[in-house]
């Protein structure tokens, strides 16, 4: 049973039903029924035309459900006759689904869940497991999202920037259970890059590949975090780095710089350095300057302060940090690192301990606690 084939066909089958007049929620339910039927039937009797089989079965399931809905009988009458088979429309259906799932009326979490279900072809159980929530909770979230977008017309212009933010959210969820959301985000972004010619789509794909290339080196065998400067660069995926750099260079050559391209440029400079000491921090600061201009994002300014501390010394980094709101996430951890670089171990240890109490997850808390303990032990010698 080729589950990858089923997942790749799901967006087109869903869009065919919508084009025939099905509302999004009903069409999505019918497609899921067809996929379940395929899992039951195909191992013993595989069809010659997998896509045609799915469209036929999904459409029949939709009509069956529609006929059972007495409140919508008049609409059912207009849908009784199955359209004659013919060539699929030339328009890219997957791209339309991306825009629909990134509708501005949806919350980010709902948009991500709907994208994984409708475009990614994941089951509700898989999505729930990835988000560590009960399946019933995720089913309700997806159902609400489907109802929200049921009346949205496909002929409205889509916002590529919103679609990219949704994909970036998927990527940042990382890995949990049997669904690797980082890999899934890369797969979906590849689809989008093949469907739309936009330098920021290429920039996001490059950024994902460059970050994902370092994944194997990010954690120690005991599960603890390994900072970038301490990672074994021999464990980085050089093929992914080369692909990401190539995609980025093509995007930058078009002269339409965007946020994801600039972030990918920073990641490429880290990937290009044979050792942490050889990192081109001066150029990284320049890219962060571009990012500040593009976004004005305070988190970007925080990352820039770290880069300034590496390029011009820790006191320059602390001066840049002093201009930022100290309630920013990870502000305290950055301050601790810069004070450690400046030789003020007592202040650094205190700030690491404070940052550990604010850490968003257990792995980061343990990492910061260990750094505080290491500095306190060093001071007592």
């Amino acid at each position: 049973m080729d589950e990858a084939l089923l997942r790749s066909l799901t967006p087109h089958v869903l869009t065919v039903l919508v084009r025939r007049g099905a509302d999004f929620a009903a069409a999505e339910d019918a497609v899921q029924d067809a996929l379940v039927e395929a899992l039951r039937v195909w191992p013993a009797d595989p069809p010659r035309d997998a896509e045609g089989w799915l469209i036929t079965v999904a459409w029949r399931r939709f009509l069956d459900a529609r006929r059972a809905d007495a409140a919508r009988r008049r609409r059912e009458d207009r849908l009784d006759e199955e359209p004659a088979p013919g060539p699929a429309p030339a328009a890219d259906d997957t791209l339309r689904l991306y825009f629909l799932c990134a509708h501005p009326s949806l919350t980010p979490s709902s948009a991500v869940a709907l994208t994984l279900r409708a475009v990614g072809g994941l089951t509700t159980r898989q999505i729930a497991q990835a988000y560590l929530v009960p399946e019933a909770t995720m089913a309700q979230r997806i159902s609400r999202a489907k109802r929200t977008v049921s009346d949205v017309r496909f002929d409205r212009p889509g916002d590529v920037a919103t679609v990219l933010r949704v994909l970036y959210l998927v990527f940042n969820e990382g890995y949990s259970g049997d669904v690797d959301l980082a890999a899934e985000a890369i797969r979906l972004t590849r689809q989008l890059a093949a469907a739309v010619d936009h330098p920021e789509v290429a920039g996001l794909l490059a950024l994902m590949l460059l970050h994902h290339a370092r994944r194997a080196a990010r954690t120690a065998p005991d599960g603890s975090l390994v900072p970038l400067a301490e990672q074994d660069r021999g464990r980085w995926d050089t093929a992914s780095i080369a692909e990401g750099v190539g995609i980025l260079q093509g995007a930058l050559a078009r002269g339409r710089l965007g946020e994801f391209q600039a972030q990918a440029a920073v990641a490429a400079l880290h990937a290009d350095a044979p050792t942490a000491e050889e990192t081109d921090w001066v150029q990284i600061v320049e890219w962060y300057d571009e990012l500040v201009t593009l976004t004005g994002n305070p988190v970007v300014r925080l990352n820039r302060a770290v880069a300034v501390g590496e390029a011009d010394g820790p006191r320059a980094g602390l001066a840049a940090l002093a201009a930022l709101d100290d309630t920013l996430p990870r502000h305290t951890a950055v301050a601790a690192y810069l004070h450690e670089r400046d030789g003020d171990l007592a202040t650094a240890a205190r700030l690491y301990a404070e940052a550990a109490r604010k850490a968003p997850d257990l792995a980061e808390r343990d990492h910061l606690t260990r750094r505080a303990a290491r500095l306190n032990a060093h001071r007592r010698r």
Side-chain angles (χ1 to χ4, degrees), residues 155-235:
D155 57 0
R156 295 181 183 177
D159 179 7
V160 173
T162 302
V163 174
L164 294 182
R165 299 238 173 258
V166 170
L167 290 172
Y168 196 39
L169 284 172
V170 175
F171 181 78
N172 285 331
E173 287 298 327
Y175 174 85
S176 179
D178 64 354
V179 179
D180 186 337
L181 289 182
E184 183 66 16
I186 292 172
R187 184 181 76 84
L188 294 174
T189 306
R190 284 190 191 280
Q191 285 186 3
L192 185 62
V196 60
D197 183 22
H198 194 295
E200 271 294 82
V201 178
L204 178 59
L205 179 57
L207 176 63
M208 288 179 175
L209 289 168
L210 289 164
H211 278 318
H212 204 53
R214 302 199 301 261
R215 175 170 173 171
R218 283 200 182 103
T219 54
D222 63 359
S224 60
L225 295 179
V226 180
L228 176 61
E230 299 171 20
Q231 288 176 14
D232 177 0
R233 298 182 180 223
R235 299 183 66 196

Side-chain angles (χ1 to χ4, degrees), residues 212-296:
H212 204 53
R214 302 199 301 261
R215 175 170 173 171
R218 283 200 182 103
T219 54
D222 63 359
S224 60
L225 295 179
V226 180
L228 176 61
E230 299 171 20
Q231 288 176 14
D232 177 0
R233 298 182 180 223
R235 299 183 66 196
W236 289 1
D237 183 347
T238 54
S240 291
I241 290 173
E243 183 184 6
V245 170
I247 292 171
L248 174 63
Q249 288 173 338
L252 292 175
R254 301 178 63 175
R256 293 166 54 196
L257 183 63
E259 175 184 355
F260 290 117
Q261 294 170 73
Q263 287 189 55
V266 172
L269 286 167
H270 283 299
D272 188 54
T275 65
E277 292 73 24
E278 295 173 87
T279 303
D280 188 347
W281 285 105
V282 172
Q283 196 173 165
I284 287 176
V285 171
E286 292 173 356
W287 278 112
Y288 274 125
D289 288 340
E290 294 281 2
L291 271 169
V292 169
T293 301
L294 287 166
T295 69

Side-chain angles (χ1 to χ4, degrees), residues 63-123:
L63 289 179
D64 288 344
R66 182 62 68 192
R67 292 188 183 101
D69 188 355
R72 299 182 181 180
R73 193 168 300 277
R74 283 186 297 179
R75 186 175 180 185
E76 174 225 339
D77 292 340
R78 294 196 297 271
L79 300 172
D80 259 343
E81 271 191 40
E82 182 174 339
D92 190 277
D93 300 317
T94 302
L95 181 58
R96 293 175 180 271
L97 287 181
Y98 276 116
F99 290 133
L100 184 66
C101 294
H103 194 268
S105 61
L106 295 175
T107 64
S109 60
S110 294
V112 167
L114 193 60
T115 300
L116 290 172
R117 176 71 179 264
V119 185
L122 301 186
T123 65

Side-chain angles (χ1 to χ4, degrees), residues 342-363:
D342 195 38
D344 187 352
L345 303 189
T347 300
R350 175 179 58 79
L351 290 173
Y352 275 133
E354 182 182 337
R357 293 191 292 271
K358 302 176 183 176
D361 57 63
L362 182 61

